Amino acid sequence: MANQTVTITDNATGKSIDCPVIDGVHGPSVIDCKKISSELGMFTFDPAFVTTASCESAITYIDGEQGILLHRGYPIAQLAEKSTYLEVCYLLLHGELPNKDQCKEFKHTVYQHTMLHEGLLRFFTGFRRDAHPMAMMLGVVGAMSGYYHDAMDVNNPEHRYLSAIRLIAKMPTIAAASYKYLLGHPHVYPCNELGFVENFLRMMFSVPAEDYKINKTAVRALEIMLILHADHEQNASTSTVRLAGSTLANPFGCIAAGIATLWGPAHGGANEAVIQTLQEIGHPKNIPSYIEKVKDKDSNIRLMGFGHRVYKNHDPRATIIREVCHELLKEMPQCKENSLLFDIALGLERIALEDEYFIERKLYPNVDFYSGIILKALDIPTNKFTVMFAVARTAGWVSQWLELMNDPSLRIGRPRQLYTGAAQRDFLPMETR
Ligand code: CMC
């Protein structure tokens, strides 16, 4: 803690308090304003928490101006280039990259938990065939609370770790099971001889009647997509997981709360919206007229997959995923419909580099622009895109939940409010209302 303080004065009473300023390793310092309530009798007001640091965390650091994203200090580009999703999971959970033995042991531990309890599998058949895959994932992850309660004591560090591993291991199985149910195909059980991503693709796309050939370019593209979405600091779903966790709720319930939050179109739904936009444009020749509509303020149309709330110069994840996306489109043969969509996407990407409207406002294609295209090229149905995001983000959710639960100063989260309703008044008898 630095010696610097910020003095806050209530001009009405003349009373002042000195609030300590706390420095982080990187990024803006924070003002510790806890005394404002006890000493000045006021709360701070920060709707949507845009200037509030809600917790201390040593997991992920983002600098939106500089386009920096670090996990445990490591730049995302280095992790995407040199690491695997499971290694990144280990890093997020443990704080350090695993050595060879730790890596082997971690993989073994995760692979021991890839199967779902048969009872949990029966949950899928209770859904309508056309249920959204996020609805199934939300329900089944919540239902895990009723299946793994043998190790669900949140005060027990071993139980907490096991729950985190179970979630990382079972999310791909749940994601694939929801897809198989939708198709009416039999569930494909995990095969622990395969890598994490290979296994996932096999559970999604193999059928008992045919051999399934794993495409290496597809595996690498999906691996990178999972790494790039593994954690993103205190975003809405992660903050939800932490708030739920602060009540000592069980881990499966907390992650289900995160999944529900991610499902919102303003959060995890953008990559799905990118494909809908490409379909709406329909043909590269329609791009100019669509762009004119986007630029027309009265149209209220935003170009999905462009711009970012935090990254104002560039999204470091987009730079990496752009290359992967271009490589994938070059190497994997695509159906006619996909080829047309990708021509439109490349046309939009060119405009971002050339059109004054986009240059002036620093509107670059973001990570979701490319992840939507990658998932489409991998034949993953559009309504499963957010499910893929949830599989990846589970690493971040469980790491942030464990960090919270390991914090000795953990207290229930309880924001306050600025009340603007009716002033106190007396009850009105029915006949006088
Ligand atoms: N298309 C057209 N114009 C845009 C867009 C867009 N996608 N995004 C911003 N603008 C314009 C906006 O109209 C404004 O123009 P003006 O100054 O003339 O009023 C200017 O750019 C600044 O916009 P802003 O509203 O201050 O930007 P923001 O930080 O509030 O919004 C955003 C960020 C991501 C919500 C927005 O860019 C957007 O809606 N993008 C499309 C949706 C999308 O792709 N979301 C996924 C983001 S990445 C997800 C992740 O990191 O997990």
Side-chain angles (χ1 to χ4, degrees):
M1 192 180 294
N3 294 326
Q4 193 192 339
T5 56
V6 166
T7 303
I8 296 175
T9 305
D10 177 354
N11 288 330
T13 61
K15 189 169 176 189
S16 285
I17 56 165
D18 289 332
C19 295
V21 171
I22 308 172
D23 297 326
V25 172
H26 292 302
S29 303
V30 300
I31 302 166
D32 177 350
C33 57
K34 288 196 284 288
K35 283 199 300 193
I36 290 181
S37 157
S38 58
E39 300 203 11
L40 295 184
M42 292 184 198
F43 298 136
T44 55
F45 184 56
D46 183 21
F49 312 121
V50 279
T51 56
T52 294
S54 61
C55 63
E56 239 185 271
S57 180
I59 300 175
T60 292
Y61 172 72
I62 299 172
D63 181 334
E65 290 302 319
Q66 304 292 324
I68 293 171
L69 168 60
L70 309 175
H71 291 320
R72 302 286 191 182
Y74 294 105
I76 189 68
Q78 293 179 22
L79 293 171
E81 189 196 343
K82 298 175 181 161
S83 189
T84 62
Y85 177 68
L86 272 194
E87 257 191 291
V88 172
C89 288
Y90 184 98
L91 174 69
L92 293 172
L93 286 169
H94 294 268
E96 295 298 338
L97 286 167
N99 64 27
K100 216 170 168 186
D101 289 343
Q102 289 165 331
C103 197
K104 198 169 154 201
E105 196 191 321
F106 184 68
K107 270 189 197 163
H108 178 75
T109 311
V110 171
Y111 285 13
Q112 288 310 298
H113 294 284
T114 50
M115 278 171 60
L116 292 181
H117 190 290
E118 288 293 306
L120 265 181
L121 274 179
R122 282 197 291 277
F123 268 76
F124 289 94
T125 57
F127 283 97
R128 283 172 53 137
R129 286 267 179 216
D130 58 355
H132 196 288
M134 279 299 274
M136 295 193 220
M137 177 169 261
L138 177 56
V140 172
V141 170
M144 283 172 77
S145 329
Y147 283 84
Y148 303 105
H149 46 261
D150 54 315
M152 235 166 54
D153 175 4
V154 294
N155 295 312
N156 179 329
E158 283 169 23
H159 283 200
R160 295 201 292 263
Y161 187 70
L162 179 56
S163 297
I165 294 291
R166 278 183 165 147
L167 279 156
I168 290 172
K170 291 183 201 304
M171 284 292 268
T173 317
I174 294 171
S178 68
Y179 182 50
K180 287 299 190 190
Y181 176 66
L182 213 106
L183 292 175
H185 286 181
H187 174 63
V188 177
Y189 288 91
C191 167
N192 289 346
E193 278 166 26
L194 296 174
F196 191 82
V197 175
E198 283 94 332
N199 188 24
F200 178 55
L201 285 170
R202 183 180 158 278
M203 289 191 290
M204 284 280 293
F205 296 117
S206 77
V207 288
E210 272 176 25
D211 275 352
Y212 175 68
K213 288 199 183 59
I214 292 168
N215 178 305
K216 278 192 180 157
T217 312
V219 171
R220 190 60 198 150
L222 192 52
E223 183 105 53
I224 289 181
M225 200 232 113
L226 293 179
I227 293 174
L228 297 184
H229 287 85
D231 192 42
H232 212 224
E233 205 225 56
Q234 307 311 320
N235 55 81
S237 57
T238 304
S239 297
T240 303
V241 169
R242 278 185 176 264
L243 193 56
S246 78
T247 70
L248 309 185
N250 81 70
F252 306 109
C254 294
I255 302 306
I259 293 169
T261 311
L262 186 75
W263 194 2
H267 190 0
N271 48 15
E272 195 175 326
V274 168
I275 300 299
Q276 281 154 3
T277 300
L278 300 179
Q279 283 164 337
E280 194 186 328
I281 296 174
H283 194 280
K285 70 175 179 353
N286 301 329
I287 296 176
S289 57
Y290 193 84
I291 292 295
E292 284 315 307
K293 271 198 273 177
V294 168
K295 293 199 279 191
D296 174 6
K297 289 283 162 205
D298 294 333
S299 76
N300 271 332
I301 296 177
R302 286 199 165 192
L303 191 54
M304 298 315 281
F306 281 70
H308 199 278
R309 173 57 57 82
V310 179
Y311 297 117
K312 288 304 179 197
N313 285 311
H314 78 276
D315 178 342
R317 302 166 302 169
T319 317
I320 303 160
I321 206 169
R322 175 180 190 275
E323 251 176 66
V324 177
C325 178
H326 282 234
E327 204 178 302
L328 185 74
L329 295 187
K330 236 188 286 158
E331 287 189 23
M332 278 187 77
Q334 293 295 323
C335 66
K336 215 167 153 195
E337 188 216 340
N338 278 5
S339 301
L340 186 64
L341 291 185
F342 301 149
D343 284 346
I344 300 167
L346 297 180
L348 289 177
E349 193 191 34
R350 262 195 305 280
I351 284 174
L353 299 172
E354 291 165 7
D355 192 296
E356 266 313 303
Y357 177 94
F358 292 88
I359 296 170
E360 250 174 42
R361 292 169 178 77
K362 299 182 173 171
L363 297 173
Y364 308 98
N366 56 46
V367 68
D368 284 333
F369 180 73
Y370 296 106
S371 71
I373 298 168
I374 287 179
L375 294 174
K376 181 83 181 142
L378 294 178
D379 264 341
I380 292 179
T382 316
N383 69 357
K384 280 212 62 165
F385 286 9
T386 316
V387 162
M388 302 301 296
F389 193 162
V391 169
R393 187 52 59 83
T394 300
W397 289 332
V398 296
S399 304
Q400 302 264 356
W401 175 74
L402 283 178
E403 185 181 62
L404 170 92
M405 300 307 292
N406 285 329
D407 182 348
S409 62
L410 168 67
R411 293 177 76 193
I412 185 170
R414 179 60 169 90
R416 302 305 300 261
Q417 63 170 9
L418 173 66
Y419 176 69
T420 56
Q424 182 172 342
R425 50 188 169 164
D426 287 327
F427 181 81
L428 284 179
M430 183 76 77
E431 52 288 3
T432 64
R433 284 176 218 163

